[in-house]
Amino acid sequence: MDFTGWTYLLQFVEQEGDQKACTEAYDAFFQRYPYCYGYWKKYSDMHKKHGDLIKAAEVFERGLKAIPLSVDLWLHYINFNTSEFANEENAEEKLRKLYERAIAASGTDFRSDKLWDSYIAWEKSKEHLKAVTTLYDRLIKVPTQLYSHHFDNFKAHINKHHPKEILDLDEFMKVRQEVVAKAHNYSGDPDDDAELESTALGIDAPPGADAPPGLDPMVDEAEIKKVKAKIIDNREAIFKSNENEVSKRWAFEEAIRRPYFHVKPLERAQLKNWREYLDFEISTGNHERIVYAKYLEQHSIEGVRNVYRRACEIHLPKKPYIHLAWAAFEERQGNNKTAQEILSRLEKNVPGLVMVAMRRISLERRQGNHDEAERLFQENLEKTTSNKCRTFFAIKFTRYLQKVRGETEKARQVIKAAVDVDKQNERLFLQMLDVEYQAHPVDENRIMEVFQNILSSDLSIEFKVKISQRRMEFLEDFGTCIRRITEAYDEHQKLVKDMNSDKRKRVPDGSEDQPEKKVKTEVTTNGGAEQPAGPPPPEPAPSYPSYPGWGSYPGYPGYHSQWSSYPPPSYGGSGYGSYY
């Protein structure tokens, strides 16, 4: 990913002049940086230098597929075709089609003015004046940076040529009739239509003539000027409307400091401007000017896929959230195999992310591929080197086996194996208890055995007191032997005393008298003498907290509390509900 290193490599192979070495270097470079239009031009020039025009053209086509919005690359390709294939059969028609491809791909870009100017100049060079007028008619509707410049050029084009040379027959006849009608105070009576048409033609057209010849050269210049003025006037409203559209976008475009690709990330202010610009375009409802994944999903499935492909394969190969959003999108389209490939590729590129592993497992579960889901659980348990991650997968796997597969005995085996590896992990013991609580029917002896294992372990005394209290609650709810209940109560009292004794041992020397010195006093009504209010109330027995949710567990790579919504809100995707 060292961009400077790549540029040094390309410079070196160009100096060496070896076509094969250049091809290998450029192909590898464009896998990572396909938006550098200048290097596509250099790559094509290299093939051209070696006399391989077909390869040179193929390079341009590849580049334009990668960055169809690049006005500069389109112009380079057009110039290449103009110079190298000008003598081919149907060269003019081929070049016009190339111009049309360029306009369709990037002609609505705010900075596409030079592409339009090139197209217009080329049609003028071929003396296709009517085609020039048609291009101007298309251009004055597009909000571009030089919109006013284009309208001035259009007016100069109209004023320079005779109207019949620059308009198609239908528009010419219509404008001419309007001018003549106004000059002769035409009332609009249908009976006068034939007379008006004859006057508008300026001649007596012979019967059966295919098309009138247009304005008579003998008609005075004043009438020709009126026709030209009418042509311009008919476009004035369109120009004003386009000017209004430009003014709406001008502030956004002026704030763009980098209208080209660069490897450096955009500043936050630039990203904020782009987001606001997109919101504006969405509000106007102009679909052609908006191309990004969340919006496109309502308009073009293939368009969404192309956006995700560029983002994940080119720009952000190691950013998990965009890959997860792409996988979710493909799954919504029913392309489960593609979703699997996306997640598998991401896991190879960025190993060790718990959320990616869980998304792969969940995808298999939703498809009913339970054997594969279990294999992935087992694989992650075996390959992880982190106790926290191993605990996470063990608990998830245990819940999956019991609640989804109904295999309680297998769930017991998984959680017991995890406890054997990490015997100081309180969460594992809690999950072991949960397995027995969720079993049906409840097996008192099994649960009491788990309680006993915890209470005889090396876990903290505070944790044991909580577990002991929970044991008493269980026996009150499900116990069948009063002797066992009273024994559990006695053991609990002993644990509480041991815990308090342990706390006193940890208090620094001399500090145990501090509470007595700070005992509050109150004035009694018996003779007004100050008497102690009595000793402080006894410390309440510790209560067992509610079973924590996994969303609050810190420390898992790529898995944190913000994932309560799944997938992340930034990339869309409905129907996931709560992740936990």
Side-chain angles (χ1 to χ4, degrees):
M1 302 305 293
D2 180 4
F3 183 78
T4 303
W6 280 104
T7 60
Y8 288 155
L9 171 63
L10 296 181
Q11 183 179 3
F12 175 76
V13 294
E14 286 174 2
Q15 292 173 349
E16 290 292 301
D18 186 293
Q19 189 175 8
K20 182 179 179 181
C22 283
T23 299
E24 291 178 357
Y26 272 108
D27 285 346
F29 170 78
F30 285 125
Q31 288 179 1
R32 295 162 177 81
Y33 304 103
Y35 296 157
C36 298
Y37 78 89
Y39 285 95
W40 286 108
K41 170 69 163 53
K42 289 183 176 182
Y43 190 12
S44 178
D45 287 345
M46 182 274 295
H47 285 301
K48 179 181 174 181
K49 181 179 179 181
H50 287 84
D52 196 340
L53 298 182
I54 301 300
K55 284 284 187 183
E58 288 176 356
V59 167
F60 273 120
E61 289 288 349
R62 285 174 55 194
L64 290 167
K65 184 178 180 180
I67 40 173
L69 280 176
S70 176
V71 170
D72 294 282
L73 191 56
W74 278 111
L75 288 173
H76 285 314
Y77 191 26
I78 288 168
N79 292 335
F80 170 78
N81 277 271
T82 303
S83 62
E84 301 301 329
F85 302 112
N87 297 324
E88 282 194 353
E89 185 180 358
N90 299 324
E92 185 176 311
E93 186 59 30
K94 289 179 181 178
L95 196 58
R96 183 175 288 106
K97 288 181 178 179
L98 184 57
Y99 267 118
E100 286 296 329
R101 281 178 58 197
I103 292 296
S106 60
T108 57
D109 187 83
F110 195 73
R111 292 173 173 81
S112 62
D113 305 278
K114 53 187 177 183
L115 176 60
W116 286 98
D117 284 342
S118 175
Y119 194 2
I120 291 169
W122 179 75
E123 291 287 13
K124 281 184 179 179
S125 71
K126 303 299 181 181
E127 298 184 354
H128 298 151
L129 299 181
K130 293 179 182 178
V132 171
T133 306
T134 301
L135 282 175
Y136 274 123
D137 281 339
R138 294 163 63 185
L139 176 54
I140 61 176
K141 298 175 184 177
V142 181
T144 65
Q145 189 174 30
L146 303 180
Y147 73 100
S148 182
H149 156 78
H150 298 311
F151 195 63
D152 289 341
N153 287 348
F154 168 72
K155 291 188 287 187
H157 167 68
I158 297 298
N159 289 323
K160 183 178 180 181
H161 301 95
H162 199 287
K164 70 177 183 180
E165 298 175 346
I166 57 177
L167 298 180
D168 62 50
L169 179 61
D170 290 339
E171 184 181 3
F172 166 65
M173 289 294 297
K174 182 180 179 181
V175 174
R176 179 70 159 73
Q177 285 183 355
E178 290 173 356
V179 169
V180 171
K182 185 175 181 180
H184 293 78
N185 295 320
Y186 175 57
S187 63
D189 187 344
D191 293 338
D192 296 335
D193 282 351
E195 181 182 351
L196 174 62
E197 184 176 353
S198 177
T199 305
L201 293 175
I203 59 170
D204 293 327
D210 292 333
L215 283 173
D216 188 349
M218 300 304 294
V219 176
D220 61 37
E221 287 294 325
E223 187 170 314
I224 295 177
K225 287 182 180 180
K226 290 179 182 179
V227 172
K228 292 180 177 180
K230 183 65 176 175
I231 296 170
I232 295 172
D233 184 62
N234 287 346
R235 272 79 171 176
E236 189 74 33
I238 298 173
F239 168 73
K240 291 295 183 183
S241 175
N242 190 50
E243 186 175 44
N244 183 47
E245 294 299 317
V246 171
S247 66
K248 294 176 183 178
R249 293 167 174 81
W250 195 267
F252 296 118
E253 291 288 348
E254 283 289 293
I256 295 173
R257 296 289 176 263
R258 193 195 301 169
Y260 48 83
F261 171 77
H262 198 283
V263 293
K264 293 181 180 178
L266 281 173
E267 299 85 356
R268 289 191 177 184
Q270 289 284 287
L271 290 172
K272 180 175 181 291
N273 180 64
W274 277 110
R275 291 192 187 100
E276 291 175 350
Y277 200 173
L278 276 170
D279 289 341
F280 163 75
E281 291 290 2
I282 291 172
S283 68
T284 65
N286 191 342
H287 168 67
E288 291 182 358
R289 300 184 63 84
I290 312 160
V291 181
Y292 72 105
K294 187 177 179 181
Y295 170 83
L296 275 177
E297 191 162 351
Q298 306 169 25
H299 300 272
S300 169
I301 296 301
E302 191 57 37
V304 179
R305 188 169 288 115
N306 288 335
V307 173
Y308 276 129
R309 186 177 291 114
R310 292 206 314 272
C312 296
E313 295 180 358
I314 297 171
H315 295 295
L316 306 169
K318 294 187 178 181
K319 296 293 183 180
Y321 291 154
I322 187 68
H323 289 76
L324 294 175
W326 185 14
F329 164 78
E330 294 294 356
E331 187 179 354
R332 289 197 298 274
Q333 308 311 313
N335 300 324
N336 295 322
K337 184 176 181 181
T338 303
Q340 291 169 334
E341 292 172 353
I342 293 167
L343 294 174
S344 179
R345 185 165 57 247
L346 174 61
E347 198 167 36
K348 290 178 181 177
N349 290 339
V350 192
L353 292 184
V354 173
M355 61 181 176
V356 179
M358 282 307 304
R359 181 69 75 88
R360 286 190 68 193
I361 293 169
S362 298
L363 174 61
E364 299 298 342
R365 174 183 56 78
R366 286 190 290 272
Q367 295 180 68
N369 298 334
H370 295 293
D371 290 342
E372 179 63 13
E374 290 187 28
R375 188 193 68 79
L376 289 173
F377 266 125
Q378 197 64 47
E379 178 184 280
N380 282 282
L381 276 171
E382 292 171 358
K383 72 181 182 182
T384 184
T385 58
S386 165
N387 281 339
K388 288 184 178 180
C389 289
R390 186 182 297 107
T391 297
F392 177 87
F393 284 116
I395 292 175
K396 286 288 187 181
F397 193 16
T398 301
R399 292 176 180 175
Y400 168 81
L401 289 169
Q402 185 174 40
K403 299 178 183 297
V404 177
R405 302 292 287 150
E407 298 180 1
T408 300
E409 184 57 39
K410 196 170 182 179
R412 290 186 179 113
Q413 295 173 8
V414 170
I415 198 65
K416 184 179 183 304
V419 169
D420 290 342
V421 173
D422 189 3
K423 296 181 179 180
Q424 301 296 314
N425 195 311
E426 296 174 359
R427 295 188 181 111
L428 291 174
F429 282 104
L430 289 173
Q431 183 60 38
M432 184 177 285
L433 271 176
D434 189 64
V435 168
E436 301 304 334
Y437 265 89
Q438 297 296 327
H440 183 77
V442 174
D443 189 327
E444 180 182 350
N445 292 329
R446 277 187 177 276
I447 294 183
M448 291 303 294
E449 183 181 346
V450 174
F451 278 128
Q452 188 59 41
N453 288 338
I454 297 174
L455 294 173
S456 61
S457 68
D458 294 332
L459 296 169
S460 68
I461 186 68
E462 290 83 3
F463 181 69
K464 289 182 180 180
V465 167
K466 295 174 184 178
I467 292 299
S468 175
Q469 181 172 335
R470 189 169 184 181
R471 181 177 63 172
M472 289 192 302
E473 293 173 355
F474 169 78
L475 288 172
E476 287 289 348
D477 293 339
F478 303 102
T480 58
C481 177
I482 188 62
R483 183 186 301 277
R484 180 177 277 179
I485 295 175
T486 55
E487 288 175 355
Y489 177 80
D490 292 340
E491 290 179 17
H492 179 72
Q493 295 302 315
K494 183 177 183 303
L495 274 173
V496 172
K497 290 180 181 179
D498 291 344
M499 181 180 68
N500 292 334
S501 175
D502 186 61
K503 285 183 178 179
R504 283 193 294 271
K505 290 178 181 179
R506 293 199 296 264
V507 175
D509 292 342
S511 61
E512 59 270 17
D513 295 329
Q514 295 301 318
E516 294 183 8
K517 294 179 181 179
K518 294 184 179 180
V519 173
K520 293 184 178 179
T521 60
E522 62 180 8
V523 178
T524 68
T525 58
N526 185 15
E530 288 188 354
Q531 295 182 359
E539 183 178 296
S543 61
Y544 185 76
S546 60
Y547 196 76
W550 276 98
S552 63
Y553 284 4
Y556 296 110
Y559 204 97
H560 47 78
S561 59
Q562 294 179 3
W563 272 78
S564 58
S565 176
Y566 178 33
S570 304
Y571 297 106
S574 60
Y576 284 89
S578 175
Y579 187 50
Y580 299 105

